[in-house]
Amino acid sequence: MSSLRSDICEWLGATDSEEDSEGLINECISICQMYNLTAKDLQYKWEALSYGKAQTILRFTRESASDVKAQIQREMQAKNASSVSKSAATGFVRGKFANSAKFAGVNAKGLTGPLKAAAQPPKALFGGMASVPVKLEQDFDGPIASSSRVTFVGQKEARQNRAYRYMYETLGERSDTLDAQLDGFGELILKNYRDTLQLGHPGVFSEESCVVVGRIVLDAEASGSGIKLNDQSLILESSRSHGDGLRVPLQLAPDLKIRGGYKGLGGVGLFPGAVVALKGRNGGGGYFIASEILVIPPMPASPAPPSNVAASFDMCIACGPFTPDANLDYKPWKTLISNLKTSKPAVVLLLGPFVDATHAHIQNGMVDETPSDIFKHQFIAPLRDFLSQSPTSTVLLVPSVNDIISDHAVFPQCELDDEFRGDPRIRLLPNPARFSLNEISFAVCSVDVLYHLRKEEYFRRGQEVDSIVCEPEAASDPMSNLSRYVLQQRSFYPIFPVSLDVAHEVNLDVSHSAELRVAESPEDPGPDVMVLPSRLKHFSKVVDNSVVINPSYLTKGTYATLSYSGQGTGFPKDRISADIARLS
């Protein structure tokens, strides 16, 4: 059975052996092949059409197939009419204002190279309908490097897997994702704490202590509006497989012990969404009292790469906003690109927002260009100029959920459209992104997770037991602890649910949380370098086995530089040097 036929049969709940359904299946296959649709696309179109007519999703029948075909025809006619009217409008602007000084830069006639690319019709106006795509590579006249100074290895999944349909997740998908996360950590706890043979049920009365794994939840009723997590507002949420999905009030014993953490930390950080392992019992009083917290095992260090002087590289890391709130002149960015042309680093990593949707000029329409034109003019053209002077360099672009040029306004977020590439040495990455450069692994995210964690964090002190002793002693300052939460929870955004105070900064799609994993599995090594831009004070430090960098925002005048020495025998963290630099 073909994949398309099997997908349709699964949707309709039919089989080829049913004679009355075979005709309907063939009709669906015909529609999909005629209009280049998948079975899911056909299902979505029918559900939208059905709900629009009857306010409910009806059974798909032969008559339904005719209705869907008619709807698709109407959509195609409307799209064609839109393209024609837009072409006419573009011609009107070029004809009427061709000699106007204000619009002199719009006419691309006679221009070449980057200027010609920047003057092409935009793809979209503030997320509106797209015009004819502009492929900037066709106008690139500079030298193309035969090989880069670094070997880049990114995520293998295709872009369409990350460009998922959002605002369509069901409660079942959300609960399955949250349960799978808890069950995965449960297996990790059983493997690392060998004296724990099985996980208990936090809601079942027991006279003996047991180990339970669950998610910390804020008791909003007990704490009131706007109150942070505290001893009186803790609730433990279990998975369906280990606790029937129950939420049980949680109490931490006065003589709480912290088992398996780094020596010298003095406690653990808790926040809504944190996955924890607890040892204690439910004495029948309607709550679970924990006598010990079993710390989630740290991510292991990646193996030391072989000594190779040719693997050395340097890197520049900068995060937006790239222009101050008062204007769209992009002066900090222009200063940085000037510095890059002088230093010529092997890799340039830029994190959005590039064209910030929250910028006052964008919100109030105080611009003469479309957002896509602003991006091409302010970023792609200067980057291509930089690459023409440094042909063996590589540029990596990671968007932000605030980027108006991105058509994916949720987190996790897919990469920018290929239209914005502009050069084969400019790589477009998703947000968050995991990749490696010369076998050095990177984990990068443009959401300000450090600030969000700082707002929600409740640090609970306790007596350290069976601690991990390391040399030098593990960093215990607040910024290191916040970074450690991301590593221990194996997630770029471990908070759930998102606090209302910062909900406008991250539109979290829970059912696609697999894209938020810092590593492919809980037992995989941690990243060698983790980049977490934040409004908090900039820093660069070693946390556990990773070099964590907060370059802050370029509008604050700071960015990061990194160098890796391929020659040596130590772990990557010992061969990486990262510093915070200031714009001159």
Side-chain angles (χ1 to χ4, degrees):
M1 184 184 295
S2 68
S3 176
L4 178 59
R5 175 178 287 272
S6 62
D7 290 344
I8 291 174
C9 289
E10 181 181 355
W11 166 42
L12 297 177
T15 62
D16 290 335
S17 59
E18 300 175 6
E19 295 183 3
D20 56 342
S21 62
E22 183 177 359
L24 181 58
I25 295 173
N26 291 334
E27 181 69 17
C28 291
I29 293 174
S30 175
I31 295 174
C32 290
Q33 293 175 343
M34 183 181 303
Y35 299 107
N36 193 25
L37 302 174
T38 65
K40 276 290 183 186
D41 292 335
L42 182 60
Q43 178 184 351
Y44 294 150
K45 286 184 178 295
W46 166 242
E47 290 177 354
L49 180 63
S50 173
Y51 196 83
K53 287 184 176 181
Q55 299 300 304
T56 186
I57 299 176
L58 303 174
R59 179 182 175 83
F60 192 86
T61 62
R62 287 285 189 93
E63 293 75 14
S64 307
S66 301
D67 293 341
V68 170
K69 289 174 67 175
Q71 178 64 20
I72 295 174
Q73 288 288 349
R74 287 192 293 269
E75 291 176 354
M76 293 177 63
Q77 291 172 2
K79 185 176 180 180
N80 293 337
S82 171
S83 300
V84 172
S85 62
K86 188 180 302 178
S87 299
T90 304
F92 170 76
V93 170
R94 289 188 172 181
K96 184 173 182 179
F97 297 106
N99 298 320
S100 169
K102 182 177 180 179
F103 289 91
V106 177
N107 194 341
K109 186 176 181 180
L111 299 180
T112 60
L115 291 179
K116 181 178 179 182
Q120 296 296 323
K123 177 190 176 186
L125 177 61
F126 294 85
M129 296 175 292
S131 61
V132 179
V134 180
K135 292 190 177 180
L136 298 174
E137 294 91 333
Q138 296 176 354
D139 297 318
F140 180 66
D141 299 325
I144 298 294
S146 57
S147 62
S148 173
R149 281 180 276 174
V150 297
T151 300
F152 174 90
V153 178
Q155 293 166 269
K156 296 180 175 60
E157 296 87 354
R159 182 183 188 275
Q160 54 264 31
N161 294 336
R162 293 185 290 272
Y164 53 87
R165 291 169 61 100
Y166 52 89
M167 296 179 65
Y168 196 77
E169 62 177 352
T170 64
L171 291 177
E173 291 172 338
R174 289 168 64 97
S175 61
D176 289 344
T177 301
L178 295 172
D179 274 358
Q181 181 189 33
L182 290 180
D183 293 340
F185 275 100
E187 295 176 2
L188 183 65
I189 292 298
L190 292 175
K191 289 181 180 179
N192 283 271
Y193 291 90
R194 299 299 177 88
D195 56 338
T196 302
L197 302 179
Q198 63 180 6
L199 299 178
H201 190 311
V204 174
F205 168 76
S206 173
E207 294 184 356
E208 297 183 356
S209 295
C210 63
V211 174
V212 299
V213 172
R215 180 180 293 104
I216 295 296
V217 178
L218 174 65
D219 185 357
E221 293 183 1
S223 61
S225 176
I227 303 299
K228 288 178 59 176
L229 207 66
N230 56 62
D231 263 346
Q232 307 305 317
S233 62
L234 293 173
I235 289 183
L236 185 69
E237 179 182 78
S238 59
S239 69
R240 283 174 288 189
S241 59
H242 291 118
D244 297 327
L246 294 178
R247 288 187 172 185
V248 180
L250 173 64
Q251 290 188 9
L252 302 177
D255 57 344
L256 182 70
K257 295 181 176 62
I258 310 297
R259 184 178 299 277
Y262 281 107
K263 185 176 181 59
L265 297 184
V268 295
L270 303 176
F271 50 87
V275 178
V276 294
L278 308 170
K279 185 175 183 179
R281 66 189 185 91
N282 187 329
Y287 58 86
F288 185 88
I289 182 166
S291 57
E292 288 186 16
I293 295 181
L294 280 60
V295 177
I296 301 295
M299 303 185 78
S302 58
S307 178
N308 179 11
V309 67
S312 302
F313 64 89
D314 55 344
M315 185 175 185
C316 174
I317 304 169
C319 179
F322 292 90
T323 188
D325 295 336
N327 57 61
L328 285 173
D329 293 341
Y330 286 90
K331 186 176 180 180
W333 162 241
K334 291 175 181 177
T335 303
L336 177 64
I337 197 70
S338 178
N339 294 346
L340 294 179
K341 292 176 182 178
T342 302
S343 59
K344 295 182 174 60
V347 181
V348 177
L349 171 62
L350 302 178
L351 298 91
F354 300 101
V355 185
D356 194 345
T358 64
H359 195 285
H361 285 218
I362 297 293
Q363 289 184 327
N364 298 327
M366 300 168 59
V367 291
D368 294 330
E369 297 177 288
T370 62
S372 55
D373 274 348
I374 293 174
F375 178 75
K376 294 172 189 176
H377 173 66
Q378 296 289 357
F379 289 94
I380 298 302
L383 286 172
R384 286 169 57 172
D385 189 28
F386 159 71
L387 290 171
S388 68
Q389 299 182 36
S390 182
T392 57
S393 294
T394 298
V395 176
L396 310 176
L397 302 182
V398 177
S400 161
V401 290
N402 284 337
D403 263 313
I404 198 170
I405 57 173
S406 173
D407 56 4
H408 204 79
V410 294
F411 185 70
Q413 178 183 21
C414 73
E415 56 268 40
L416 296 175
D417 193 84
D418 280 343
E419 174 197 353
F420 297 116
R421 187 180 302 275
D423 187 285
R425 292 162 294 179
I426 298 177
R427 295 182 178 271
L428 305 178
L429 306 181
N431 176 33
R434 290 183 283 119
F435 58 90
S436 68
L437 300 171
N438 288 358
E439 300 184 17
I440 300 301
S441 58
F442 286 76
V444 177
C445 175
S446 64
V447 169
D448 193 351
V449 63
L450 297 181
Y451 176 73
H452 295 185
L453 283 168
R454 186 63 182 270
K455 285 179 64 68
E456 300 296 325
E457 177 192 25
Y458 166 54
F459 193 81
R460 182 61 157 84
R461 297 194 174 275
Q463 178 186 350
E464 295 180 345
V465 179
D466 297 338
S467 301
I468 300 174
V469 180
C470 59
E471 293 293 340
E473 190 173 280
S476 59
D477 59 280
M479 294 300 103
S480 296
N481 283 337
L482 296 177
S483 304
R484 187 172 289 113
Y485 301 155
V486 176
L487 292 168
Q488 284 185 338
Q489 296 289 317
R490 276 75 167 170
S491 173
F492 284 103
Y493 200 85
I495 303 171
F496 179 80
V498 181
S499 171
L500 292 178
D501 296 340
V502 295
H504 62 284
E505 297 183 13
V506 50
N507 186 8
L508 185 64
D509 189 295
V510 177
S511 60
H512 290 85
S513 294
E515 299 294 332
L516 299 180
R517 293 177 297 190
V518 173
E520 196 62 33
S521 74
E523 298 180 4
D524 283 352
D528 299 319
V529 180
M530 187 165 65
V531 181
L532 300 174
S534 173
R535 71 197 74 178
L536 300 176
K537 185 174 176 60
H538 52 77
F539 65 84
S540 170
K541 57 185 63 185
V542 176
V543 179
D544 299 350
N545 298 306
S546 302
V547 176
V548 183
I549 303 172
N550 168 22
S552 192
Y553 302 151
L554 196 64
T555 50
K556 293 185 176 182
T558 61
Y559 62 98
T561 59
L562 179 148
S563 61
Y564 168 68
S565 175
Q567 187 174 11
T569 57
F571 288 103
K573 66 177 182 179
D574 302 320
R575 294 153 66 177
I576 294 172
S577 174
D579 299 292
I580 301 299
R582 289 194 172 273
L583 291 175
S584 55

